[in-house]
Amino acid sequence: MKRNPRKLGWTKAFRKAHGKEMTMDATYEFEKKRNVAVKYDRELMGTTIRAMKRIAEIKEKREKQFYINRMKSVRGQQLAAMRREIETGQDLLMPAAVRAHRQKKQLEEQEPDMDITLASASEEQRNKVDEALAMEMDVEAPSEKAAKAKSKQAVKIKLKAKPKKTASLTP
């Protein structure tokens, strides 16, 4: 089956036609075949080899700049794709506490027949529900946080209350 090489993505013709490769550059002029025989000259050979190295450097710089210029438009597309992904996966970026709160709401909506709803529950029952959800989500419950904060304050007070050691002079 015959195909147009300009439409096949892996061909040189496609890459040149769609601006993926440099096509018009003076450095390519040096790579053309020349069918004229040249008499050997040591100086000519030395200058030719030095020129080949310099041309390779120039070509490399231009290819690098060509790539950078080509990727400028791609960067905008990548940012747009990232923004779309963030918008669609917003629930993955939420902190665990917010997820736990939303799960509580979903449970309330799914099971309104529960004996104890959070709105009519006592403070003790709410704390139990918070602790249970926190254990599932690996987040500390508010009562645990308060207990840890109190213990830290007690340790600080004890550290401040220690008497300073005085050096006693013994004769």
Side-chain angles (χ1 to χ4, degrees):
M1 179 188 318
K2 290 185 178 179
R3 295 190 181 261
N4 187 347
R6 288 187 303 265
K7 293 184 179 179
L8 296 174
W10 53 270
T11 61
K12 286 289 229 180
F14 173 88
R15 294 187 63 75
K16 287 181 180 179
H18 289 84
K20 307 291 184 188
E21 287 187 8
M22 293 176 20
T23 55
M24 303 302 289
D25 192 31
T27 56
Y28 289 112
E29 293 294 320
F30 292 108
E31 294 179 3
K32 288 184 178 177
K33 287 187 179 180
R34 290 170 179 81
N35 294 326
V36 179
V38 179
K39 188 175 180 182
Y40 177 76
D41 183 10
R42 185 180 179 121
E43 285 184 36
L44 180 62
M45 283 300 269
T47 54
T48 303
I49 291 173
R50 284 193 298 275
M52 287 170 55
K53 290 178 183 175
R54 180 71 178 128
I55 290 167
E57 290 173 9
I58 292 169
K59 187 176 177 182
E60 189 176 312
K61 286 180 187 176
R62 288 182 183 175
E63 285 175 350
K64 197 177 289 185
Q65 189 60 42
F66 179 78
Y67 177 79
I68 290 169
N69 290 340
R70 237 184 65 214
M71 291 299 125
K72 283 181 182 176
S73 64
V74 174
R75 182 67 180 153
Q77 294 169 355
Q78 288 174 341
L79 288 174
M82 286 181 207
R83 285 188 185 110
R84 278 194 304 273
E85 188 174 340
I86 289 172
E87 288 171 5
T88 57
Q90 196 70 31
D91 59 320
L92 299 174
L93 299 174
M94 281 188 265
V98 174
R99 271 190 251 141
H101 180 70
R102 287 199 178 169
Q103 284 181 350
K104 275 194 263 184
K105 283 186 178 180
Q106 287 176 352
L107 286 174
E108 289 173 7
E109 291 172 4
Q110 290 174 356
E111 300 176 15
D113 302 338
M114 291 177 61
D115 296 337
I116 301 171
T117 60
L118 290 177
S120 64
S122 68
E123 186 66 32
E124 184 179 319
Q125 290 170 336
R126 282 191 208 133
N127 286 341
K128 285 181 182 177
V129 170
D130 286 341
E131 288 174 8
L133 285 172
M135 292 179 96
E136 288 179 11
M137 300 301 294
D138 293 332
V139 176
E140 294 179 12
S143 60
E144 291 175 10
K145 287 182 181 179
K148 282 187 178 181
K150 287 180 184 177
S151 65
K152 284 182 181 178
Q153 289 175 349
V155 169
K156 286 181 183 178
I157 293 171
K158 286 180 184 176
L159 291 174
K160 289 180 181 177
K162 282 187 178 179
K164 293 183 180 177
K165 293 182 179 178
T166 57
S168 61
L169 300 172
T170 54

